[in-house]
Amino acid sequence: MTVPWVVKYRPKRLNEVVGNKRAKESLLNWLRAFKQGKAKRKAALLYGPPGTGKTVTVEALARELGYDLIEINASDKRNSEELMRIAGAAASQGQLFGKKRLILLDEIDGINMEEDRGAIQAVNKIIGESHYPVVLTANDPWNPKISPLRNACELIQFKRLSARDCLPYIKQICLKEGIKAEEDALKFLIEKNERDMRSIINDLQALSIGRKELRIEDASWLSYRDRKESIFTALSMVFSGRNCAVARKAVDLSEADYEMLFEWIYENAPRQLTDPKDLYDAMEALAKSNLYFARIKKNQAWNLLPFALDLMTIGVCSSRKRSKPRFTPFKFPERIKYLSQTRLERGVKERVARAIGRACHASVRESVRSYLPYVKFIFKHNPRLAGKIAEELEFDKEMVDFLKR
Ligand SMILES: Nc1ncnc2c1ncn2[C@@H]1O[C@H](COP(=O)(O)OP(=O)(O)O)[C@@H](O)[C@H]1O
Ligand SMILES: [Mg+2]
């Protein structure tokens, strides 16, 4: 049986867990304070996107500092009674062979509240009664489900990893597995998975079955099945395709949304083609393509479509002569982002302003002008206070997301 690489290469020591230096230090400091009886809070909540190393950090830390780790995955189907039984016992019983204990309640926001109503209270009770440090993990600290726990917890944020953190780590894995991988292929994998280390490693393993070499084309075809990612695949075919046929195929992946594909290529061309002459040629091809599109639209001249498509794919692909292959994450077209954001934002913004206005006795306009900037600042920099405000004013997730942006 093949061992999943996420298990095989699971970091054993704290210094093998890449990135999030500050979070790791905060956790260490909190544990030290706890040990000396000086910790302000009895539990720590590690929060952040998946695959950033929350769980492995706790495991590695326990191993290094000689704690017995009692780990419960809260989103497993265990109900509150079982949570109580296991963690409650662990929290209150004497030490086993005098060893220190650390309790990890993993993925606390995965608890199914419908089926498991008592779970959060159970967790709260564990924190209250435990003689040992308790660490919780969650993706979203704003989740109303876990709001009763937030006040008891030291909040520690795990940020999305950077590509710079991910790359050396997966290169190391390739080396150990004897895989020769193009750097671009690895970088593609990293971005495609939004720098979620777990998914990156899983994808890498899936791609490496029966292969000892990994090229960008191999990697990009992986997401062919994955509709959502198809635009990224299409773009790498246009910008890094080995030949015109590959570049032209990008069109098939764009789900017939040619104008959207055009925007993406246009936005990313300057970032991908670093040589000015290359960029000039690409822009010329794009300008012509744009002209064809305009004519098609105006005169319904569909016979021009193949030219428009060839120009924006093959035209751009063949412009790359001197630009070195260079990895930069693909960027969402500004124009489209701006349009869709303003449309969506207006609605949310108004709802937020209305809620603030109700609390502060201000009009919507007044609260946009005088309160909103401060509330936004708080949401960016002070999660604890933000949590209180969100609760008090009953913000929903969309409103919170808007304020954090
Ligand atoms: N920062 C990291 N450094 C090294 N490997 C990581 C890191 N984050 C995640 N991983 C890999 O992903 C897998 C899942 O990590 P995990 O700690 O459960 O992430 P999280 O709890 O943040 O979702 C681990 O087995 C490990 O292989
Ligand atoms: Mg985890």
Side-chain angles (χ1 to χ4, degrees):
M1 205 187 78
T2 37
V3 189
W5 288 358
V6 280
V7 175
K8 190 170 171 187
Y9 296 108
R10 205 173 173 80
K12 295 276 177 300
R13 305 186 61 80
L14 202 55
N15 64 10
E16 290 168 37
V17 181
V18 299
N20 279 304
K21 197 159 164 268
R22 270 179 63 184
K24 289 189 280 185
E25 274 166 14
S26 309
L27 182 61
L28 207 58
N29 288 339
W30 172 77
L31 258 183
R32 277 204 196 104
F34 188 97
K35 209 169 140 201
Q36 296 164 354
K38 288 185 195 152
K40 277 205 225 90
R41 296 191 165 79
K42 282 184 75 179
L45 170 62
L46 314 187
Y47 69 93
T52 46
K54 298 180 293 297
T55 310
V56 285
T57 297
V58 181
E59 290 171 353
L61 199 65
R63 194 174 294 117
E64 266 177 44
L65 301 182
Y67 282 93
D68 256 338
L69 184 68
I70 297 174
E71 184 171 348
I72 299 172
N73 190 316
S75 67
D76 260 356
K77 270 198 230 90
R78 297 165 198 273
N79 55 27
S80 49
E81 272 166 47
E82 199 156 352
L83 253 182
M84 265 326 253
R85 193 175 57 74
I86 302 174
S92 53
Q93 276 163 20
Q95 296 179 355
L96 197 65
F97 308 120
K99 230 178 156 190
K100 306 172 284 186
R101 278 184 190 159
L102 178 64
I103 298 172
L104 170 61
L105 305 180
D106 210 10
E107 301 182 12
I108 205 79
D109 48 356
I111 291 178
N112 185 339
M113 295 292 272
E114 314 274 85
E115 290 173 15
D116 209 358
R117 295 189 173 273
I120 292 291
Q121 281 90 321
V123 172
N124 225 347
K125 198 151 173 252
I126 293 167
I127 297 175
E129 293 174 2
S130 173
H131 299 293
Y132 308 104
V134 180
V135 180
L136 319 177
T137 75
N139 290 141
D140 181 8
W142 311 107
N143 191 329
K145 267 197 283 195
I146 60 171
S147 62
L149 303 175
R150 263 201 312 261
N151 280 338
C153 294
E154 181 85 24
L155 296 182
I156 299 178
Q157 184 188 17
F158 273 67
K159 297 202 173 117
R160 206 174 276 291
L161 298 176
S162 69
R164 203 170 295 158
D165 289 329
C166 299
L167 189 62
Y169 194 80
I170 57 170
K171 272 190 180 166
Q172 202 65 36
I173 295 182
C174 289
L175 198 70
K176 286 181 189 150
E177 293 291 331
I179 292 161
K180 247 178 76 190
E182 275 182 8
E183 186 150 319
D184 269 1
L186 297 181
K187 284 173 170 170
F188 177 82
L189 275 188
I190 291 172
E191 284 312 319
K192 174 187 168 287
N193 288 300
E194 297 176 327
R195 310 194 298 279
D196 167 344
M197 196 70 110
R198 183 191 290 108
S199 315
I200 297 168
I201 297 174
N202 282 338
D203 265 4
L204 182 66
Q205 183 171 18
L207 274 178
S208 306
I209 296 172
R211 275 204 192 98
K212 282 289 159 204
E213 270 183 50
L214 199 62
R215 293 176 313 162
I216 178 83
E217 283 96 323
D218 306 324
S220 37
W221 280 108
L222 174 81
S223 51
Y224 177 62
R225 288 163 281 147
D226 195 349
R227 294 327 250 163
K228 212 176 79 202
E229 296 299 336
S230 59
I231 196 82
F232 288 104
T233 313
L235 286 177
S236 42
M237 286 159 86
V238 169
F239 288 114
S240 322
R242 261 157 221 260
N243 53 48
C244 295
V246 172
R248 185 60 169 75
K249 270 199 195 133
V251 169
D252 304 335
L253 293 185
S254 67
E255 297 176 27
D257 194 348
Y258 306 136
E259 288 190 284
M260 185 65 146
L261 181 62
F262 181 93
E263 291 292 339
W264 278 88
I265 296 174
Y266 173 75
E267 180 79 34
N268 285 284
R271 298 156 64 88
Q272 296 289 330
L273 303 172
T274 43
D275 179 87
K277 180 74 175 62
D278 286 3
L279 184 59
Y280 177 85
D281 291 346
M283 284 301 173
E284 205 161 48
L286 284 172
K288 271 193 199 141
S289 166
N290 202 16
L291 210 62
Y292 282 123
F293 274 124
R295 283 200 193 145
I296 294 168
K297 247 192 183 159
K298 193 161 167 234
N299 308 327
Q300 296 292 303
W302 290 99
N303 55 327
L304 295 179
L305 187 62
F307 302 107
L309 297 180
D310 282 353
L311 279 163
M312 80 176 183
T313 54
I314 301 173
V316 171
C317 178
S318 62
S319 306
R320 162 167 255 151
K321 298 207 178 65
R322 285 150 292 252
S323 303
K324 291 217 172 55
R326 156 174 187 255
F327 181 78
T328 22
F330 289 122
K331 192 161 163 256
F332 196 93
E334 281 301 325
R335 257 179 22 160
I336 295 170
K337 188 154 124 196
Y338 181 72
L339 287 177
S340 56
Q341 223 177 36
T342 46
R343 203 178 318 130
L344 282 176
E345 269 191 0
R346 273 199 304 269
V348 195
K349 189 171 172 182
E350 195 175 314
R351 287 201 297 126
V352 172
R354 214 175 282 284
I356 297 174
R358 262 198 306 274
C360 304
H361 306 284
S363 69
V364 170
R365 251 181 82 187
E366 175 70 13
S367 64
V368 167
R369 205 181 49 213
S370 311
Y371 296 97
L372 195 60
Y374 299 104
V375 178
K376 276 197 136 194
F377 188 84
I378 291 170
F379 271 74
K380 282 223 176 79
H381 301 286
N382 188 340
R384 191 175 297 281
L385 184 55
K388 278 192 189 148
I389 295 176
E391 241 162 82
E392 185 71 31
L393 303 190
E394 297 180 342
F395 288 161
D396 59 28
K397 181 153 186 326
E398 200 184 15
M399 291 154 100
V400 169
D401 285 346
F402 164 77
L403 285 165
K404 280 199 290 189
R405 205 160 37 225

